[in-house]
Amino acid sequence: MKTAPRDLASSASATATRTPAIQKNPLDIKVLAAIARSTSSVSPMSLLLPMLDWVGHLAVSPGKRIELASLAYEQWLQLMRYLASSARQESDAEPPPAQDRRFAEPVWQTWPFNLMHQSFLLADAWWQAATIGVPGVSRHHEHVVSFFARQLLDVLSPGNYPLGNPLVLRKTIESGGMNLYRGLMNALDDFQRLAANQPPAGAEAFVVGGNVAVTPGQVVLRNPLIELIQYSPTTAEVHPEPVLIVPAWIMKYYILDLSPGNSLIRYLVERGHTVFCISWKNPGVEEHCLGMDEYLELGFEAALAAVNAIVPERKVHAAGYCLGGTLLAIATAAMARDGDQRLASMTLFTAQTDFTEPGELALFIDESEVSMLEAQMRETGYLSAGQMAGAFQMLRSSDLLWSRMVQEYLMGERSPMNDLMAWNADTTRMPARMHAQYLRRLFLNDDLSEGRYPVRGKPVVLTDIDTPIFAVATLTDHVAPWRSVYKIHYLTPTEVTFVLTNGGHNAGIVNEPGRPRRHYRIRERPADANYLPPDDWLEKAQRHEGSWWPAWSEWLQARSGKPAAPPQLGAADYPPLGDAPGTYVHEK
């Protein structure tokens, strides 16, 4: 099992403390900030260096070039056989050389659209082969070149253009071109909303405190960084150990309290849990100096102190989502180091504690990119929501960008808005200091899993954690890949119950009972048991149909005391300050 020896961790921390931080020249900062404004915060060097690495090594790899030439010839032969059999309309026609769900409709198999889409898919496959496996290219550079080659090719997909998309052509003929007119109106409306910093069409139907984030409760703590909401009980008796939820500050907390039918918070309350949830302030210029230490002290630690005062002499079930889960893991390790036994358990939703394989987000994070972001944030005081949204869209450009544009601008059909989409448009910012520390300490340096992350001047190590862990990962997560989340198994020896559910980073968590086509796998690793690799876990973990929410509720109940009368809302030092959802959630 992977460990972080205390003496090495302490030595590393001491060395880092003695080493002075490099002060960047103010002129360099201004130049980098100016470049960032002109490149949408993308470092040109972060693209140029991988390209030079790839081109240079490909030039001295004749074997790889021969392989690519052979692949191109084989693809051409496959394409010719497919086109010939399609033209003859044989019953046992040659199957398409490449398949993609974007071209699943039968009309794509007719001339000339079969030639268009197969040529595109084969070119995409060729470029993926060309950018992977070139001897000498660093792994990071290889991934960057491959990723951006895919982005550029996606632009050329025939489905993105009216004359190349048979579905659009058919719609245009049937509607007399009205689909293109409606699409133009949709595009103009979106442009006006973007220019006016307004939410997308349909989002206005979801009002925070009106029909989303409506679980009754009271704000019982407000400080410069958080509001803490205590939710009103709905059962005569509750489990004595309260639940404290730490959402990510990159998002509004109410993803866990959307509509009444898919609110995880309401679900817990209705099953006899006393629930508290942090609502983070949407930072602006005034909060630029807030760092990770403040998010720990004014966030989790302040909230935990309030929960302890309102529900005294009871341990707390703490749950963290995404960045909130990473922060919770840091806090739990610090508490274990200091002998603080106030937690009954720790739950992590799509939260990474090891950042050596953080998925495609790592493509945007290297020294050059972080330096540019730091320079830009030095001027603005924060990272804007638009900058983050652009990066997430690029991760799934085919689904989040091009397919939506085809649907709304070419087909002329607005995608129906739902509560999760409206929440996703209710964006937040990231304070400059915190975001720079987060990127450097965790993504670049991986300080947490290596035992170098400092809390109050001393490093924390995850191997100190001895509270039971319930960890949830999602199968198609592009932000926190499930195998990365799974690494908690070898970072701590404590009991770990791991759940892998279908869905993505958000839809896999907003996974209420009764939703169709949902399933999950679950398996418990006892404390101090041997490590099971993720692929072996996937084979051995039992599959269940439906939502994982009941499994988590039962897991919490099994680690809670006998139900008793619910606590009052607030306490002497934490009087109710107003109804949920509070005021911070409304800040734009």
Side-chain angles (χ1 to χ4, degrees), residues 248 250-251 255 321-323 349-352 392 396 423 473-481 485 503-510:
I250 197 174
M251 58 179 73
I255 185 176
Y321 189 0
C322 189
L323 302 186
F349 300 148
T350 62
Q352 298 180 92
F392 288 126
R396 298 175 57 198
W423 163 86
T474 60
L475 194 59
T476 57
D477 197 329
H478 292 266
V479 179
V485 176
H505 187 71
N506 296 322
I509 300 302
V510 183

Side-chain angles (χ1 to χ4, degrees), residues 318-436:
Y321 189 0
C322 189
L323 302 186
T326 304
L327 183 74
L328 175 59
I330 293 170
T332 305
M335 294 173 69
R337 178 198 66 189
D338 300 336
D340 189 333
Q341 299 294 318
R342 286 180 290 168
L343 294 187
S345 70
M346 177 175 73
T347 297
L348 303 177
F349 300 148
T350 62
Q352 298 180 92
T353 48
D354 181 302
F355 288 82
T356 53
E357 296 178 311
E360 289 187 331
L361 268 181
L363 298 172
F364 301 93
I365 302 172
D366 57 19
E367 184 62 43
S368 178
E369 183 65 33
V370 171
S371 294
M372 180 167 287
L373 286 174
E374 287 176 338
Q376 189 175 21
M377 291 189 298
R378 184 78 65 89
E379 291 192 348
T380 61
Y382 53 80
L383 184 71
S384 71
Q387 291 170 285
M388 292 182 287
F392 288 126
Q393 280 189 335
M394 289 185 69
L395 294 180
R396 298 175 57 198
S397 61
S398 177
D399 294 329
L400 299 182
L401 181 62
W402 295 113
S403 63
R404 186 184 68 84
M405 293 178 68
V406 169
Q407 182 73 15
E408 299 193 358
Y409 302 159
L410 298 184
M411 301 294 284
E413 300 172 352
R414 278 290 193 193
S415 301
M417 181 65 65
N418 58 38
D419 50 9
L420 185 58
M421 294 167 62
W423 163 86
N424 192 54
D426 191 3
T427 53
T428 59
R429 297 174 291 271
M430 303 274 268
R433 185 181 178 202
M434 183 285 304
H435 196 51

Side-chain angles (χ1 to χ4, degrees), residues 111-154:
W111 175 268
F113 306 109
N114 52 2
L115 173 62
M116 291 181 183
H117 90 271
Q118 282 299 308
S119 298
F120 165 75
L121 291 177
L122 291 173
D124 181 74
W126 188 91
W127 276 103
Q128 289 303 303
T131 54
I132 298 295
V134 178
V137 179
S138 75
R139 186 179 183 185
H140 176 67
H141 288 172
E142 180 180 79
H143 289 169
V144 171
V145 172
S146 178
F147 175 80
F148 280 99
R150 188 167 70 248
Q151 301 306 306
L152 292 174
L153 284 167
D154 278 346

Side-chain angles (χ1 to χ4, degrees), residues 54 86 109 144 310 341 350 362 411-412 461 476 500 550 554:
W54 173 70
S86 296
Q109 310 306 323
V144 171
I310 296 169
Q341 299 294 318
T350 62
M411 301 294 284
V461 287
T476 57
L500 179 62
E554 293 170 5

Side-chain angles (χ1 to χ4, degrees), residues 13-176:
S13 177
T15 301
T17 303
R18 292 194 302 268
T19 304
I22 299 175
Q23 298 297 322
K24 295 182 175 65
N25 188 288
L27 178 60
D28 295 340
I29 293 175
K30 289 187 176 296
V31 171
L32 284 174
I35 295 174
R37 288 192 297 270
S38 63
T39 62
S40 299
S41 303
V42 176
S43 169
M45 295 303 296
S46 292
L47 301 180
L48 179 60
L49 292 177
M51 184 63 66
L52 291 175
D53 190 7
W54 173 70
V55 170
H57 283 95
L58 184 62
V60 295
S61 302
K64 179 67 173 180
R65 297 200 305 274
I66 292 173
E67 289 178 6
L68 294 175
S70 299
L71 175 61
Y73 179 67
E74 177 61 30
Q75 288 180 331
W76 181 80
L77 291 178
Q78 289 178 316
L79 180 61
M80 291 303 101
R81 288 196 297 267
Y82 165 67
L83 293 176
S85 64
S86 296
R88 293 191 300 268
Q89 296 183 341
E90 299 171 347
S91 58
D92 57 343
E94 187 82 13
Q99 299 188 40
D100 188 289
R101 61 189 179 90
R102 287 174 288 180
F103 309 107
E105 292 290 336
V107 69
W108 279 105
Q109 310 306 323
T110 61
W111 175 268
F113 306 109
N114 52 2
L115 173 62
M116 291 181 183
H117 90 271
Q118 282 299 308
S119 298
F120 165 75
L121 291 177
L122 291 173
D124 181 74
W126 188 91
W127 276 103
Q128 289 303 303
T131 54
I132 298 295
V134 178
V137 179
S138 75
R139 186 179 183 185
H140 176 67
H141 288 172
E142 180 180 79
H143 289 169
V144 171
V145 172
S146 178
F147 175 80
F148 280 99
R150 188 167 70 248
Q151 301 306 306
L152 292 174
L153 284 167
D154 278 346
V155 177
L156 303 176
S157 170
N160 296 339
Y161 302 94
L163 295 180
N165 191 323
L167 300 174
V168 173
L169 287 174
R170 185 170 63 191
K171 185 79 169 181
T172 303
I173 294 172
E174 292 174 350
S175 67

